[in-house]
Amino acid sequence: MDAISLDPNVHVMESKDLDFYYGDSQALFGVSMKIPRNYVTALIGPSGCGKSTYLRCLNRMNDLIDRSRMVGSISFGGEEINDPALDVFRLRQKVGMVFQKYNPFPKSIYENVIYGLRIAGIKSKSILDETVERSLQRAALWDEVKDRLNGTALGLSGGQMQRLCIARAIANNPEVLLMDEPASALDPRSTARIEELITELRGKYTIVIVTHNMQQATRVSDFTGYFYEGVLKEHGTTEQIFTNPKEKHTEDYISGRFG
């Protein structure tokens, strides 16, 4: 991927010595990672390794889970997101999330896109209309739905629903997009479209994607973090991780010896 205009040394988020617990069970152990601005970072590893838990830590989505707690530091734009005074709603506007299973609201396509803006109290029709068109354009969905914006979002195909969810996240003008296996519930054609979309969005947003598909990681990401049993075993450029891993454990996983 062409990254001439981007600087991989500029980080939008960084975790330091991050531990995470579900009740008494520890899920993450001392995870320290820098996430470069406007690049795509993939998180890989076997099921249950902590990659989705780490992803949800980045916008405090795990706060919704009873008896969960985070120890350590995550900074976003130089601000500690674990600060009790932090406005979590504002954080989630700036660090948006797209889930594994597409989850459009039982509303119109139009209202799905501007849901966050409605909550924020924005009422200007011109702003809402402009946001809908811009967000759907960026999510590569505008041409397919522009004549039925007032129709139900639940009438879309699975791939269209997932792109609508991406448009909904984009509408909040985020800096970071978190994607938790965004194509795992989709057919191969829709998966390819989501991958194309990630490539198109790269450079406009910082994207962190959890994926079980290592080929997908090589296709869409610039950087890769490999997790195993709650530990970040290795983190580097995707090319380095997949062609010249520093850790034998990483090499064994990407070569299919386990996982």
Side-chain angles (χ1 to χ4, degrees):
M1 294 180 181
D2 180 11
I4 294 175
S5 62
L6 302 176
D7 184 352
N9 296 309
V10 176
H11 305 108
V12 66
M13 302 193 82
E14 180 178 4
S15 65
K16 292 182 179 178
D17 302 319
L18 184 70
D19 297 335
F20 187 82
Y21 299 82
Y22 294 109
D24 296 327
S25 176
Q26 188 168 356
L28 295 176
F29 298 82
V31 177
S32 296
M33 180 189 292
K34 294 179 179 180
I35 299 174
R37 182 184 299 276
N38 292 346
Y39 283 88
V40 180
T41 297
L43 307 180
I44 64 171
S47 296
C49 68
K51 55 190 184 294
S52 289
T53 295
Y54 180 77
L55 188 79
R56 293 193 300 266
C57 284
L58 297 178
N59 70 347
R60 287 182 49 180
M61 193 62 68
N62 287 322
D63 287 10
L64 304 174
I65 301 173
D66 289 341
R67 298 184 66 230
S68 65
R69 62 189 175 95
M70 185 161 43
V71 180
S73 171
I74 300 178
S75 62
F76 170 51
E79 183 177 10
E80 174 56 54
I81 74 168
N82 287 321
D83 186 336
L86 181 82
D87 183 339
V88 177
F89 176 74
R90 184 175 64 84
L91 171 68
R92 291 176 184 156
Q93 284 184 312
K94 291 299 182 182
V95 185
M97 190 153 193
V98 177
F99 296 92
Q100 178 177 359
K101 177 65 176 175
Y102 39 84
N103 59 341
F105 302 133
K107 298 174 179 286
S108 69
I109 294 168
Y110 184 98
E111 289 296 331
N112 263 270
V113 176
I114 60 169
Y115 182 78
L117 278 69
R118 293 278 198 209
I119 292 177
I122 296 174
K123 298 179 180 179
S124 168
K125 189 174 187 305
S126 62
I127 291 176
L128 297 177
D129 288 350
E130 179 185 345
T131 299
V132 167
E133 181 171 353
R134 183 183 68 248
S135 302
L136 290 171
Q137 288 275 16
R138 286 194 168 182
L141 192 56
W142 174 253
D143 289 340
E144 297 170 42
V145 303
K146 62 184 179 182
D147 296 325
R148 48 174 172 152
L149 295 177
N150 293 320
T152 176
L154 302 182
L156 299 174
S157 70
Q160 288 174 324
M161 286 187 189
Q162 189 65 300
R163 280 183 281 149
L164 177 62
C165 292
I166 293 171
R168 188 173 66 198
I170 290 172
N172 290 318
N173 194 29
E175 294 183 43
V176 181
L177 277 176
L178 309 177
M179 297 184 169
D180 193 358
E181 298 190 67
S184 65
L186 302 178
D187 60 78
R189 183 176 179 182
S190 296
T191 295
R193 191 66 195 91
I194 294 294
E195 290 183 7
E196 291 170 6
L197 177 56
I198 292 170
T199 300
E200 291 164 10
L201 295 176
R202 176 187 167 276
K204 299 181 180 74
Y205 306 93
T206 301
I207 297 174
V208 186
I209 176 172
V210 166
T211 178
H212 276 295
N213 186 326
M214 286 185 283
Q215 288 73 32
Q216 183 175 82
T218 62
R219 288 192 293 265
V220 304
S221 71
D222 305 285
F223 296 88
T224 295
Y226 165 56
F227 282 78
Y228 183 74
E229 294 187 350
V231 176
L232 178 63
K233 287 287 190 179
E234 189 167 352
H235 178 227
T237 66
T238 298
E239 181 180 11
Q240 177 260 308
I241 292 291
F242 281 92
T243 62
N244 188 29
K246 296 177 182 178
E247 301 291 332
K248 179 68 162 55
H249 207 283
T250 309
E251 181 181 355
D252 287 347
Y253 178 73
I254 63 175
S255 63
R257 292 191 179 96
F258 72 96

